[in-house]
Amino acid sequence: MKHIYVFDIDDTILMHSIFKGQFLDYNKIHYNHKIDKYLSSLNGPKYIYTNGTYGHADKVLQQMKICHHFKMIYARDTLDSMKPNIESFMQVYNDIL
């Protein structure tokens, strides 16, 4: 069976707790070898699915130097609706499959 991995960006890839109470400064986001190694170990395509913007997700992945792991970013400005609307999940599901 082929595995497909879908991740949210916020509080999954990037833990916001490290920025608690402060503005998100992208310059404070750095490479994390554990996350890079984990993503490398997953055999199958990987996607980001977030209620954040495409630009936010892309910037986080670039700062963490892990954008090469992901085939596509699904975001609030690239989808017709947002999570938790079933239409949003179906749009991502149908696009991936």
Side-chain angles (χ1 to χ4, degrees), residues 33-78:
H33 77 280
K34 290 180 183 178
I35 291 175
D36 190 23
K37 185 176 179 180
Y38 173 73
L39 291 169
S40 293
S41 75
L42 299 175
N43 189 14
K46 295 166 239 4
Y47 301 86
I48 294 293
Y49 178 31
T50 181
N51 276 344
T53 64
Y54 180 94
H56 168 65
D58 185 54
K59 184 71 173 178
V60 169
L61 296 176
Q62 297 237 8
Q63 288 294 114
M64 295 181 77
K65 298 178 177 43
I66 57 173
C67 55
H68 62 280
H69 290 290
F70 297 94
K71 280 186 84 165
M72 177 78 77
I73 297 172
Y74 296 97
R76 72 175 177 215
D77 49 354
T78 65

Side-chain angles (χ1 to χ4, degrees), residues 3-47:
H3 290 85
I4 297 170
Y5 301 92
V6 180
F7 296 90
D8 196 342
I9 195 74
D10 297 312
D11 295 326
T12 303
I13 300 292
L14 174 67
M15 298 308 294
H16 276 154
S17 61
I18 62 174
F19 300 104
K20 191 172 185 170
Q22 56 183 305
F23 179 75
L24 179 58
D25 180 355
Y26 290 103
N27 293 317
K28 292 184 179 179
I29 300 171
H30 302 288
Y31 175 75
N32 181 316
H33 77 280
K34 290 180 183 178
I35 291 175
D36 190 23
K37 185 176 179 180
Y38 173 73
L39 291 169
S40 293
S41 75
L42 299 175
N43 189 14
K46 295 166 239 4
Y47 301 86

Side-chain angles (χ1 to χ4, degrees), residues 4 49 74 87-97:
I4 297 170
Y49 178 31
Y74 296 97
E87 294 84 9
S88 179
F89 289 97
M90 293 307 300
Q91 188 177 357
V92 171
Y93 175 82
N94 289 329
D95 190 62
I96 290 173
L97 296 182

